[in-house]
Amino acid sequence: DISEKMNQVLEPRLQEAAAQLREAGLRTTRPRLVLAEILFAHGPRHVTAESLFNEAAARGERLSLATVYNCLHQFTAAGLLRMVTVDAGRSYFDTNLKPHHHFYYEQTGELSDIPETDVAVARLPAAPEGARISRVDVIVRLEQ
């Protein structure tokens, strides 16, 4: 089996990332493997493309920022990440796929989770004809 042979060749730290990518239907390229391992090895987190690029560079990985952006968008399309847009110029990628909301610290740019049960939306407008509401994302902006 090709998957089994590939796993034997991969560094042990990348084997779990390879399995995750294959399960999501993505090819296991080196950039995807490296970024998946960084993203998913240590529990839920929020990253920007720039912060992930810097983290990969600090590990000695030579990836372009464009490659990081492409991989993040591919991971999002494959259902491995959720994109959280806090404003027109800033998006985060969230490894926590469970329903939840966010605190956004405007001065530091930090994003943190709010359990879904801690937010109650009293009323939503009716969706336009032919559309349905798929989810509601709440971002609570904080000043310090």
Side-chain angles (χ1 to χ4, degrees):
D1 174 59
I2 291 175
S3 298
E4 194 58 41
K5 286 181 184 174
M6 185 175 208
N7 257 354
Q8 291 170 0
V9 174
L10 286 175
E11 301 163 45
R13 70 183 176 87
L14 297 179
Q15 289 179 7
E16 191 172 327
Q20 237 178 328
L21 292 174
R22 282 193 300 271
E23 191 173 304
L26 294 172
R27 284 187 24 244
T28 52
T29 63
R30 177 75 184 175
R32 286 179 186 158
L33 283 169
V34 166
L35 295 175
E37 194 272 331
I38 293 170
L39 281 167
F40 304 116
H42 305 291
R45 59 189 300 214
H46 307 99
V47 299
T48 62
E50 293 79 8
S51 70
L52 186 58
F53 170 81
N54 291 334
E55 199 171 333
R59 291 180 174 206
E61 299 294 338
R62 294 174 48 88
L63 302 172
S64 71
L65 185 56
T67 296
V68 173
Y69 269 104
N70 288 338
C71 287
L72 286 169
H73 288 291
Q74 291 160 357
F75 291 175
T76 301
L80 294 172
L81 294 174
R82 180 172 143 192
M83 189 181 339
V84 179
T85 302
V86 296
D87 61 45
R90 183 170 285 256
S91 292
Y92 290 82
F93 295 86
D94 192 348
T95 62
N96 179 359
L97 299 178
K98 294 181 177 127
H100 67 284
H101 305 286
H102 294 97
F103 282 121
Y104 176 63
Y105 295 83
E106 292 185 323
Q107 281 80 11
T108 64
E110 181 185 347
L111 199 65
S112 63
D113 291 348
I114 303 171
E116 182 183 42
T117 56
D118 288 1
V119 174
V121 178
R123 193 168 63 94
L124 291 174
E129 189 173 328
R132 68 175 183 77
I133 296 171
S134 63
R135 75 175 194 236
V136 174
D137 294 323
V138 175
I139 297 175
V140 179
R141 297 173 184 278
L142 303 173
E143 294 181 351
Q144 295 169 300

